[in-house]
Amino acid sequence: MSREEASKQIDKELDLSNAGRGVWLVKVPKYIANKWEKASGTTEVGKLKISKQHGQKAQVSLTLSDAVINLDPHERIPKEHRLDVSVVTKQTLGVFSHMIPGKSDDGVIPECEKLFMEGRIVQKLECRPDADPLYMQLKRESIKKASVPVRKVQSLDKIVQNYKPISDHKHNIEYKERKKNEGKKARDDKNAVLDMLFNAFEKHQYYNIKDLVKVTRQPIGYLKEILKEVCDYNMKNPHKNMWELKKEYRHYKSDEKKEDKPADSDSD
């Protein structure tokens, strides 16, 4: 596909005609979002009021419509809200929509799913209610509802087969089997173990025995026999109880130390 053909294909899939339009990103409380989701597409959900005095920041407020407020008479929510405005400067955010392929009004079927850029986000607004008695009551009910435990203790007057005790659980059996298999580590060829050790010491200069066992997966006794041939065991701080390659096996300069691995409190 040529560059011109690829450009035409992108134009088909993404419509950028509204890319220069500025839009607002508004964060609303959950109780408002739930009301708006229940409202029909033709219902007026509220009115936005913007007022600005000379030399002052714009004041934005939202008044929910009576139709939204009365969607559920048993759930009372605040009607008046203020919107805190912040300008987007450090991020490039956009709003996109898409059209699923299907017959249009003129009977034409699009070749692929069409994407539209609806605009670039220029301001963020956070909707906040006034701290009036109605809102405080709403918050109390919300906290009370969230504190109700999902599971409750109940007494049983007959045996429930689903809760019948078993001798051992599946995850316990699998754990014991895994530990058993890990305990039986087979000895690898000495040269293979040395290769693993040299590769490990290329990353860090010091290791404790536990980490070397994890790296090589060798029995600790067999591993120590090999370590004694190629490594020195530090008996003094700051690298006490750590293994380090002998000088004849180090290929880095003495004044360019590798990153030291944090010492472990356990001994060898």
Side-chain angles (χ1 to χ4, degrees):
M1 182 184 294
S2 66
R3 181 179 299 179
E4 183 178 356
E5 291 174 341
S7 178
K8 289 181 178 179
Q9 183 67 20
I10 293 174
D11 290 340
K12 286 183 179 180
E13 297 176 357
L14 179 59
D15 189 326
L16 297 174
S17 56
N18 292 324
R21 181 170 61 181
V23 296
W24 290 3
L25 176 63
V26 183
K27 180 181 179 181
V28 299
K30 188 175 181 180
Y31 62 82
I32 294 182
N34 291 338
K35 292 281 188 181
W36 284 355
E37 287 180 358
K38 295 176 183 178
S40 63
T42 58
T43 302
E44 180 184 287
V45 297
K47 292 183 178 180
L48 200 64
K49 181 180 179 182
I50 305 174
S51 59
K52 185 177 182 181
Q53 297 181 1
H54 181 70
Q56 294 184 359
K57 191 176 181 181
Q59 302 295 318
V60 186
S61 62
L62 171 66
T63 302
L64 298 179
S65 66
D66 292 334
V68 169
I69 294 291
N70 297 325
L71 278 174
D72 185 358
H74 300 289
E75 184 185 4
R76 299 181 61 203
I77 64 173
K79 187 174 183 177
E80 300 293 337
H81 299 76
R82 73 177 190 278
L83 283 83
D84 296 336
V85 183
S86 61
V87 180
V88 178
T89 57
K90 296 183 179 180
Q91 290 179 300
T92 301
L93 304 174
V95 178
F96 295 86
S97 63
H98 67 96
M99 181 179 66
I100 300 175
K103 287 187 177 180
S104 58
D105 295 337
D106 56 2
V108 178
I109 301 177
E111 297 180 7
C112 61
E113 181 177 352
K114 187 75 173 180
L115 300 176
F116 299 87
M117 185 171 184
E118 301 295 347
R120 181 174 55 86
I121 294 174
V122 294
Q123 284 186 332
K124 289 183 178 181
L125 296 92
E126 187 164 357
C127 183
R128 299 179 184 275
D130 295 330
D132 56 11
L134 178 58
Y135 175 69
M136 300 308 295
Q137 177 65 24
L138 183 67
K139 289 299 294 181
R140 280 194 295 268
E141 293 176 358
S142 175
I143 295 172
K144 184 177 179 181
K145 186 182 295 185
S147 63
V148 175
V150 178
R151 297 179 180 179
K152 296 182 179 180
V153 177
Q154 60 181 13
S155 60
L156 303 176
D157 55 1
K158 59 181 179 180
I159 297 176
V160 180
Q161 296 299 324
N162 291 342
Y163 301 108
K164 186 177 181 180
I166 59 177
S167 59
D168 204 352
H169 293 279
K170 181 181 178 181
H171 64 275
N172 288 336
I173 297 174
E174 292 175 350
Y175 175 78
K176 292 176 182 177
E177 187 67 24
R178 186 170 65 252
K179 292 296 290 182
K180 182 179 179 182
N181 293 335
E182 289 177 355
K184 297 180 178 179
K185 297 187 176 87
R187 292 190 176 192
D188 288 340
D189 179 75
K190 182 178 179 180
N191 290 331
V193 177
L194 287 171
D195 288 340
M196 287 187 284
L197 289 173
F198 289 139
N199 287 334
F201 279 106
E202 285 180 1
K203 300 175 182 177
H204 300 286
Q205 184 176 352
Y206 302 96
Y207 282 90
N208 60 34
I209 191 66
K210 288 183 179 180
D211 288 334
L212 290 174
V213 169
K214 291 179 183 178
V215 170
T216 62
R217 297 188 60 81
Q218 298 299 302
I220 189 169
Y222 176 58
L223 180 60
K224 282 186 176 181
E225 292 177 6
I226 300 176
L227 286 172
K228 290 177 181 178
E229 295 180 14
V230 297
C231 294
D232 291 326
Y233 183 71
N234 289 288
M235 301 294 292
K236 298 180 180 180
N237 288 325
H239 303 294
K240 188 177 181 180
N241 302 330
M242 307 285 280
W243 292 88
E244 177 187 17
L245 282 178
K246 291 183 177 180
K247 292 182 179 180
E248 56 266 35
Y249 296 108
R250 302 175 197 168
H251 60 80
Y252 50 84
K253 297 178 181 179
S254 59
D255 60 338
E256 295 179 358
K257 295 290 185 180
K258 290 283 185 178
E259 179 184 355
D260 294 344
K261 188 174 179 65
D264 192 285
S265 58
D266 296 334
S267 63
D268 68 333

